[in-house]
Amino acid sequence: IEESTALNERIGDRAWVRLIERHDKMISRHVKRHAGHVIKSQGDGFMIAFAQSEEAVRCSGDIQRELAKRHNGIRVRIGIHAGKSVLRGDDLFGRNVAMAARVASAADGGEVLVSEAVREGVDDRDGIAFDDGRDVELKGFSGTHRLYALTL
């Protein structure tokens, strides 16, 4: 959630908790609808896994469109990357998990950014379109990486 601490300070703890509860229910509803799995929630963010990149993209678009209709002040950054990871207990680890987190960090509130691997995997699917992309440096990764914003 973009500027979550400032929003919490502005509305107070009780209102913040109610807002987060509604937010979490909405996220869970969309994740379930798109056959995803919540790996963990970290207060104001989620790690979610999908078997198919297309479902991750469609779920993210649905979340952003629903949030845009609400007037609760929540804007989220969503990043999607595809690749293998290591399952340890109920958690995922590995380079691709870190890459997904960095892609999310590069997004603006209200934006869904995807890596080249995701764009290539879902390009030309019905109803999915991306911008021309931008090159960014991602903390901990060498070089620049081309990221694409989902057209909502």
Side-chain angles (χ1 to χ4, degrees):
I1 298 175
E2 182 180 63
E3 304 288 333
S4 61
T5 304
L7 179 58
N8 182 201
E9 183 175 347
R10 190 170 67 246
I11 68 175
D13 289 339
R14 290 187 193 280
W16 173 252
V17 169
R18 287 191 301 271
L19 185 66
I20 287 296
E21 286 174 353
R22 288 190 308 273
H23 173 74
D24 290 357
K25 286 179 185 175
M26 183 269 296
I27 296 293
S28 295
R29 186 176 71 250
H30 285 293
V31 168
K32 183 177 180 180
R33 189 170 136 238
H34 289 282
H37 178 72
V38 174
I39 302 299
K40 61 184 165 185
S41 171
Q42 301 166 327
D44 68 345
F46 286 90
M47 179 194 296
I48 302 168
F50 293 86
Q52 302 294 323
S53 295
E54 179 180 354
E55 290 301 325
V57 172
R58 291 190 188 284
C59 180
S60 298
D62 288 350
I63 289 168
Q64 293 293 27
R65 281 186 286 277
E66 183 166 338
L67 285 172
K69 292 177 187 175
R70 295 179 176 197
H71 302 287
N72 59 15
I74 290 183
R75 290 174 44 92
V76 299
R77 294 183 294 268
I78 299 177
I80 306 172
H81 178 63
K84 294 186 182 222
S85 58
V86 177
L87 180 64
R88 181 174 169 226
D90 293 331
D91 206 348
L92 294 176
F93 296 89
R95 178 188 182 283
N96 289 312
V97 173
M99 176 64 79
R102 297 299 186 251
V103 172
S105 294
D108 293 325
E111 184 175 50
V112 177
L113 280 183
V114 305
S115 66
E116 183 90 40
V118 173
R119 188 193 61 78
E120 288 176 358
V122 299
D123 202 22
D124 296 327
R125 301 281 171 99
D126 186 41
I128 297 177
F130 300 99
D131 69 4
D132 293 331
R134 61 187 185 253
D135 292 322
V136 300
E137 292 182 8
L138 300 174
K139 181 180 174 183
F141 291 92
S142 61
T144 58
H145 301 266
R146 191 98 177 146
L147 302 180
Y148 301 84
L150 177 66
T151 304
L152 296 171

